[in-house]
Amino acid sequence: MRYDSVLDMIGDTPLLRLDPGAHGVPEAEIFLKLESANPFGSVKDRVAWGLLRDHIDTIVEEEQVVLEASSGNTAKALQIIASMHGVGFRAFTNRVRVREVREMLTLLGAEVTEMPGLSECPDPTAPNDVFGVIGDLMDGEPGRYHHTSQYTNEDNLRAHYEQTGREIYRDAGPVDLLVGGLGTTGSTRGAATYLRERNPETAVVGVVAAEGDFIPGIRSAAEMWEVGLFEPGFYDAITAVDSADAITASLELATRHGVLAGPTTGAAFAAARDRLLSGPGGPVTAVVIACDRMEPYLSYFRHRRPDLFGMAAGTATAEAAPSATPEDIETWIAAGEHVVVVDVRTALAFQAGHIPGAINLRDDLLEQVMEAGMPFSEASRVVFACPTGDRSARFAARAAATGRRAYTLAGGILGWRDSGRPLAGV
Amino acid sequence: MSQRFPLPAAQHPLAARLLADAAAIGEAIERFGSPLHVVFPQVMAENAAVLAGVLRRHGVPYGIYYAHKVNASIRLLAQARVAGLGADVASAAELDQALAAGFAPDRIEATGPKSPAFIERIAALGVTVNADDLWELDRLAAAAPAGSTVPVLLRLSGFASPAVPQSRFGIDLADTDAALETVRRAPGLELRGVAFHLDTADPAARVDALTESMTVVAAAHQKGLRPSVIDIGGGFRQRFVDDPKPFQRYAQALAAAGSSELVWSGHDVGAPAAHKYGNHHPSTEVLERFLMAEVEHRPVADVLRECMLTLWIEPGKALVDHAGITLATVLYRKRAAGRDLVVVDLSRNQVTPADQEVLLDPVLVGGRGEPPDDGVFLAGRLCLESDLISRRKVFLDAQPGSGDVLAFVNTAAYQMDLSASAAAGHPPPAKVAAVLEGDRFTFVLDDIHGS
């Protein structure tokens, strides 16, 4: 099919009927609304274009800079659309927690302002939340910025009402159950409003991350109150899913249904199936919104489920890692040997107190460095150190496997400190 | 006709149960008189478990010190000990009370400005000192016997981050080198760690203060000291309402109508403290958001573990949230200044902290019938025009009459004792602990023996 602009490719996404033999819910028709088929990879393409379409000419004319509180798919789509039109974009966020997402934004040239600890959604109780910062910026230079405000902009809902909901109804007919992850809540609510107008009995389930858990793109139950678009009464149920179940379900979608979808989709699919299996049964049509693709979450999958990446053996090898006691280190140094102590903690922890002479390479950085090649000389002894010795053992095992004289610090830095040995501060 | 703007208070199930038991309330008033403060040690135990649960779930080594100043109740203090908490005391009297409640000195921390006599006792007992000033440190260094290890936390202030509110407490960051030097030289002191307390719910402020505090930890290490604790104080909020909407409606009405209709003339209830009384989020939220906030792209909980620091918190309000109510009988009703008044056997300062208007409606115990169309003002019993229990019109669920009991909900945090006076010879209200055993409430006087 021919298109003249990539923006014309946004929307009208496929609705995939899952093979009942594979999904295992008797008499249920489960459809996936493949928002992942949007050109920039997610449901947020609709949101971004929906928020900008009517304003982009003015923004270009007045050389405004687009502002949004987002750290993920919305920022990506807005950045692409802004750069296609030659205007600037700035993203404000308190969290870019997934490596690939961060790297993608950097690659596309997005200017991301991270404000650790600040709320990303409007929070009336925190005077300097992200929205406050955006507000101050706009007040400082009136007319200079355009704030798309995905959390509170009704255009977000409308895009999903007019398009997503309509498309689902066109392809699936009346829907009994709609399930989607709750981020801004725009997609689920917008589409559900349309579907309920056609079938008032449509049950709507919003999926959130279990309390204290993290699933990229959706919020935890406690965070939902922050979202301006959120109306708890709208949903028939708010279901909390933990990250382990979300990952298992996304893998199942990939291997049994051939759908490469991210953890949010996995969470929504898991919630839909649980609800259908515990329901009264009988013929039912369910639609799950598949909001984005799997690939950007590889590091998230790896972090949460190292066993799936062949790192299950990691614990075994970590156990086999050679260890060095503080006395060993002192003996080697006294004998004139070259000893490198690698502290794998964050810079803040390192600066606050470390083994004198140690160098600081935090674990995720060290991970990347070691993927590229072993950065330590075979002539030196290398001792990896972390608070308790668990993380350092993994690195020691890997380095030892390449023939380095590598060790994990027995008892960790905590043991070092508690033995009365000195720590250095920066 | 006036519109109703009720501000219904969230009720803990235990409080709701007692309030529905008019016979039990009647018995308590008959035995102990009106007004009467009632505390619920069982609710405090629940609050302690919930806070500890958050810290455990995030895998942070922790210590919880109950800020006793929030309520003078020894029953609540004793409950804190049973729950495994430490005690945060702010005076010699509170220290005595903590010892009487069974806390060992190494489970007690002394905070706030301290008198020389208090410092002497702290040093003799080996209670942990949260030092407010270099003056205190010098006296403490002189008082601590050589060879003892009186634990010291340096309370820090003067943070550079604009997100951190200014404070009158603590040692300025610029003076911490001198403070560390005092501790290092003192033969009887041991640096336990650093501390701060921020009057804000904003996680970013605590993250910034934490980050800046780490420079003091680093400086301490340079001096050969071994800090192992970071104390972030309290400031965890109470949950006053189930639903914020009535509060928002009220605030809007107040802004729109001006104060004439809803507020007693001559008094300003101020901008409704949405931050405080409009809060419907759990008291754990401030702590949870702090632990989940990020430093160097890593949750604070992980960073604390990496820094090998034990996190101490000093909750007061969050521990006694919903752990008390205040009962008072209605004396009579009258019309005055064109308003409906309900005169109550209670003084404003015995249920109001620091003259701050409590923006919640009391509950009329055993009230029946339709809610009245209009609200009423509650007057106290003192000979002061300003002694209004509510300067704000409150909306009761039923018509009150002489002898009825009004219950003020969730008063255990500062409302009972912070400002209470014995003006006009009215003694401070009696205080009892109510314990639910089976399906019955037992009341015991809130003293060390109970009777």
Side-chain angles (χ1 to χ4, degrees), chain A residues 59-83:
Chain A
I59 295 169
V60 170
E61 209 165 289
E62 297 180 5
E63 298 179 5
Q64 288 179 319
V65 175
V66 178
L67 305 180
E68 183 54 276
S70 164
S71 52
N73 287 320
T74 307
K76 179 167 73 172
L78 284 171
Q79 173 62 35
I80 294 171
I81 298 171
S83 47

Side-chain angles (χ1 to χ4, degrees), chain A residues 160-404:
Chain A
H160 291 295
Y161 173 85
E162 286 173 359
Q163 303 166 25
T164 320
R166 194 183 298 268
E167 292 166 21
I168 291 172
Y169 184 75
R170 180 194 67 200
D171 298 337
V175 171
D176 301 304
L177 173 65
L178 178 75
V179 183
L182 296 185
T184 63
T185 78
S187 59
T188 314
R189 245 181 84 207
T193 304
Y194 186 91
L195 293 172
R196 276 188 179 158
E197 282 173 13
R198 299 301 178 281
N199 172 19
E201 302 301 308
T202 304
V204 181
V205 172
V207 178
V208 296
E211 191 72 44
D213 203 344
F214 167 58
I215 298 175
I218 58 179
R219 297 180 173 275
S220 70
E223 284 178 300
M224 281 316 298
W225 65 273
E226 294 177 351
V227 182
L229 292 176
F230 182 55
E231 284 181 23
F234 184 86
Y235 301 89
D236 294 273
I238 303 282
T239 303
V241 175
D242 68 29
S243 54
D245 289 346
I247 289 172
T248 306
S250 8
L251 285 174
E252 189 184 322
L253 284 175
T255 55
R256 305 183 76 168
H257 302 280
V259 176
L260 294 172
T264 304
T265 308
F269 177 58
R273 193 170 44 187
D274 281 358
R275 185 176 170 97
L276 292 174
L277 285 173
S278 62
V284 63
T285 299
V287 174
V288 173
I289 296 180
C291 55
D292 63 5
R293 289 183 64 92
M294 174 183 271
E295 293 89 331
Y297 301 103
L298 280 180
S299 67
Y300 173 81
F301 279 57
R302 181 164 52 195
H303 182 67
R304 300 265 158 170
R305 293 288 305 276
D307 55 305
L308 300 173
F309 291 78
M311 290 158 103
T315 41
T317 51
E319 276 165 26
S323 72
T325 62
E327 291 80 6
D328 291 335
I329 298 171
E330 284 156 1
T331 311
W332 294 332
I333 292 174
E337 287 200 56
H338 188 243
V339 180
V340 183
V341 178
V342 181
D343 188 323
V344 304
R345 299 174 300 159
T346 47
L348 185 71
F350 178 81
Q351 285 157 11
H354 55 262
I355 296 170
I359 60 166
N360 183 210
L361 269 173
R362 65 178 261 180
D363 47 13
D364 47 356
L365 194 68
L366 182 59
E367 191 93 42
Q368 291 176 44
V369 171
M370 282 173 75
E371 273 169 28
M374 194 53 59
F376 306 106
S377 155
E378 286 177 25
S380 309
R381 290 189 197 265
V382 186
V383 181
F384 295 94
C386 70
T388 54
D390 52 344
R391 268 178 292 157
S392 55
R394 272 195 351 244
F395 292 108
R398 276 171 68 182
T402 67
R404 301 300 190 282

